Amino acid sequence: MEHEYFMALALREAKKAYSLGEVPIGAVITKGEEVISRAYNRREIDKSALAHAEILAIEEACQRLGGWRLSGCTMYVTLEPCLMCAGAVINSRLTRLVYAAEDPKAGAVTSLYNTLEDTRLNHQVEVVTGVLQKEASALLKEFFKKLRSTKEGSELKNS
């Protein structure tokens, strides 16, 4: 039940991204029962390849806690992190990652790679998957369907 509550907060962040035309991915970081950061994708707005929800949430959590180690913290994110974000999860020493939907094209946690539980690395992260998966997947599908129809419409106008 706790995981669903915090994932619902991450979904709220994802909906903010959606409303701004960003890929709808949201992240929340908790320490115990307290939310210490929240973020959503801002790549288009910030014009930055690094402005993924996970990276922004980690930056905010580090600032709030006054250090780079997020030991004892859990990240909730609506889509399986990519390699960059999985690396940031490891480097920030998060204890747990909970994600909703798998990303078969870029996922670096269970889909393409098993980065967070790789014993060759200096830190491993507990992973929980599939929390509010249907809701997160539906939001992503809706976004990309709308994006495709908008692109097709603008291509028809230009021909």
Side-chain angles (χ1 to χ4, degrees):
M1 200 63 170
E2 171 185 319
H3 289 327
E4 289 178 358
Y5 172 79
F6 291 119
M7 188 61 74
L9 296 179
L11 276 166
R12 279 192 211 161
E13 293 299 308
K15 289 174 184 174
K16 290 177 188 176
Y18 184 105
S19 72
L20 297 169
E22 294 278 354
V23 176
I25 301 169
V28 169
I29 297 178
T30 63
K31 186 156 187 144
E33 297 297 315
E34 181 185 3
V35 173
I36 58 170
S37 70
R38 56 183 82 210
Y40 52 86
N41 266 12
R42 296 180 51 90
R43 290 192 310 174
E44 301 299 331
I45 294 166
D46 293 354
K47 309 287 187 248
S48 172
L50 303 177
H52 288 209
E54 300 95 323
I55 300 294
L56 298 172
I58 288 170
E59 285 186 75
E60 182 182 326
C62 290
Q63 292 301 310
R64 179 141 183 229
L65 295 178
W68 63 270
R69 288 179 185 88
L70 299 178
S71 301
C73 294
T74 298
M75 174 183 282
Y76 294 86
V77 64
T78 57
L79 185 66
E80 178 182 2
C82 67
L83 271 170
M84 175 181 72
C85 293
V89 166
I90 290 167
N91 284 322
S92 65
R93 304 300 191 267
L94 279 159
T95 298
R96 181 183 308 121
L97 173 82
V98 180
Y99 72 83
E102 289 185 343
D103 185 350
K105 294 184 179 181
V109 179
T110 58
S111 293
L112 297 177
Y113 306 99
N114 192 8
T115 310
L116 301 186
E117 295 174 325
D118 189 330
T119 57
R120 296 171 296 175
L121 299 173
N122 64 339
H123 180 71
Q124 289 77 48
V125 179
E126 177 188 340
V127 176
V128 178
T129 66
V131 177
L132 298 185
Q133 178 181 0
K134 288 179 185 175
E135 294 86 340
S137 293
L139 184 62
L140 285 159
K141 286 176 185 170
E142 179 183 320
F143 175 81
F144 286 110
K145 181 178 178 182
K146 182 178 175 184
L147 185 66
R148 279 190 302 276
S149 70
T150 302
K151 282 185 178 179
E152 288 169 6
S154 63
E155 286 173 6
L156 290 174
K157 286 179 188 176
N158 294 330
S159 57

